[in-house]
Amino acid sequence: MDDRVREHAEVLVDWSARVEAGDQVVMDVAEGAHDLAVAVAAELGKREATLLSTYGSSEVSRAFLRAGDDDRELAGSDPELAMLSAADVYLRVGGGRNTTALADVDGDRRTAARKAGTAAREARMDTDWVSTVHPTRSLAQQAGMAYEEYQEFVYDAVLRDWESLADEMANMKEVLDAGSEVRIEKDRTDLTMSIEGRTAVNSAASVAYDSHNLPSGEVFTAPHATEGEVFFEVPMTIDARRVQGVSLAFEDGEVVDFAAEQGEEAIADVLDTDEGARRLGELGIGMNRGIDRFTDSILFDEKMGDTVHLAVGRAYDACLPDGEAGNDSAVHVDLITDMSEDSRLFVDGEVVQRNGTFRWEDGFESA
Amino acid sequence: MDDRVREHAEVLVDWSARVEAGDQVVMDVAEGAHDLAVAVAAELGKREATLLSTYGSSEVSRAFLRAGDDDRELAGSDPELAMLSAADVYLRVGGGRNTTALADVDGDRRTAARKAGTAAREARMDTDWVSTVHPTRSLAQQAGMAYEEYQEFVYDAVLRDWESLADEMANMKEVLDAGSEVRIEKDRTDLTMSIEGRTAVNSAASVAYDSHNLPSGEVFTAPHATEGEVFFEVPMTIDARRVQGVSLAFEDGEVVDFAAEQGEEAIADVLDTDEGARRLGELGIGMNRGIDRFTDSILFDEKMGDTVHLAVGRAYDACLPDGEAGNDSAVHVDLITDMSEDSRLFVDGEVVQRNGTFRWEDGFESA
């Protein structure tokens, strides 16, 4: 076995999920993720956890969802709910064989399936859950990369010194927690938002940091009262539609105008979902410099060093004062803007990042 | 998709498991069984059942079981138990990529794992469960067959007119239910056993017949008070050891002498397991003529037409009067003898099968 697969499994089990003896673990294995699943099973065995593996196959889901009458009922799975309710830890080991395997499943059927799965999803969120991916040829293709090149990309992002990145990200969290207004300034962008009373999450790829993605490497919070304009040049895929060059204009915290160089209709559909879809749910600062290019996968793209992402839609509870509800929506769609050149990030009027260099980094003054 | 895969899925869901709308279904998918799993998912969708798929990977199990200290505790999985307790139907879709994938897992660890899985196994047996296999190259190799040849073999065994085979097997069940003594006579074999008070199962590959294998096609009961000698010429693999030419001698229902042309030690280990391992738990009459050769897989071999199998070890409750305990043991190992030539099967002194022809079949008198 490739040593990197073993190391990936170790990071997932030790650093990310903090698995301990006796933990009841459910691992979901995507069609192309067998090798990583085997490595994870060995780590779980060493730690004397229990293990039940589920089969996260897009093709099985597609066949199930496409079958039957258009108006058939879709009920949640009681065995799935019972399983997740009994789990301490849930590990999603992604990595399929075709990122568009569900392309011909009707939108209404998808929505019905998501709704039927609500109770199971909530039970899963109550576990120490972590999502990661095994590098597959399908994901390499989505990224426009050769297979071995993509493997290196994934392991550069995943096999980091997380402790030290967490320490660095603590600087950013400190600034955001103390601040009340964030401003982003770059070409076609001048946006301000309030973060008054909000708590930032140091998302260091570990449940110990309220962070559930491996890789992670971002600091995020839940902004409100957004004003101004912002431009996102990073391309992405939303519901199987290519989107690029998105502009949003905000007034009183709400999107009042939008445009896109490509895929404008996908953006329109997102914003029309519900009332909360026109407000921001997240401001995230990407700080994982192991991720050095965009690969059309949000798990990686939004953590890339020297980027900022804003999500329209649902806010994360971890950023809100106890008992306070944040922006609510059925969607959470991240859009990414490059901060590496001709750009500044301000908190309460002071520059925190200039042209990709943070205030606490060498070279900030000359950046 | 190969039409035969779709038909296999239909037989499994309709005839075997009798899935109805609203049924909570768990499907276990072996490493090489993806295509059949996709077809089964479509059938389940049509019938408006729910579906949760688990990943039945031998390599994941091996990695998990081999890890850790020799004396580590192995606990059962609470999520697995909860999942199975909430399931109405359990479908095991077998078909791995290596029949010896668990060869280097220590015997004690296997035993510990079996013990840790007792509660989950019992919950599974309380569902309408059915085991089948998707034909894989690994199973073809085990059978000593080419891949396409093996596919034809499997579909010949599975895609039968089960209703009509069930009707035919009802003849055999009737004879056994009315009878009190079975005698098997052939070369190196003269064995009698009591079936007094026992009920035969018409194992027609459907939960509606107390039958949980697809393919099936046997009538079985739980004999006792076995006397005499029996020879099993059909080769098989027991715990990864090749076994052939087994002779057993019984007195007062217990094995008092045994020999094997190959793998005698494997037989010795089985018989030494516990007290019940030296008594018969099953007499089965193979009646599936779609199975025309031995393939070193008990799922198929024991159902082959014109064979009889005897299992040492555990008896099935379905054969016993309510509340009566049958032979108990941690093992249930089937041994198969060919009845197609120079052989007779008697019930209460009357010939029921002669040289492979049953009493109710054409040509019985001249057989």
Side-chain angles (χ1 to χ4, degrees), chain A residues 18-78:
Chain A
R18 309 279 159 132
V19 173
E20 294 177 359
D23 274 354
Q24 301 285 342
V25 180
V26 171
M27 168 170 66
D28 189 56
V29 185
E31 286 165 24
H34 177 79
D35 288 359
L36 179 54
V38 168
V40 171
E43 295 303 320
L44 294 173
K46 270 188 215 161
R47 277 153 197 79
E48 308 196 3
T50 71
L51 172 59
L52 171 66
S53 303
T54 56
Y55 188 44
S57 161
S58 303
E59 291 184 356
V60 167
S61 298
R62 170 187 176 273
F64 182 74
L65 290 175
R66 279 177 58 90
D69 298 337
D70 282 352
D71 59 349
R72 79 166 163 105
E73 297 280 323
L74 268 179
S77 161
D78 291 348

Side-chain angles (χ1 to χ4, degrees), chain B residues 230-297:
Chain B
V230 55
F231 180 68
F232 305 95
E233 65 276 85
V234 178
M236 61 186 305
T237 303
I238 298 176
D239 276 343
R241 289 177 287 190
R242 189 77 173 172
V243 173
Q244 191 163 10
V246 177
S247 319
L248 300 179
F250 286 86
E251 276 177 29
D252 285 339
E254 214 171 282
V255 175
V256 292
D257 198 12
F258 68 94
E261 291 163 8
Q262 192 184 348
E264 191 169 290
E265 211 179 303
I267 296 294
D269 287 352
V270 166
L271 296 174
D272 282 350
T273 308
D274 48 33
E275 211 180 318
R278 294 192 158 250
R279 296 176 179 275
L280 288 187
E282 182 190 359
L283 157 69
I285 321 286
M287 293 181 66
N288 184 338
R289 292 214 171 103
I291 302 172
D292 59 357
R293 57 193 290 175
F294 298 107
T295 57
D296 200 6
S297 161

Side-chain angles (χ1 to χ4, degrees), chain B residues 6 14 36 47 53 91 110 118 148 171 175 272 300 330 337 364:
Chain B
R6 205 188 312 274
D14 276 351
L36 179 53
R47 275 151 199 81
S53 304
L91 305 175
R110 283 173 207 237
T118 303
E148 299 203 355
N171 294 313
V175 170
D272 282 350
F300 294 88
T337 191
F364 174 70

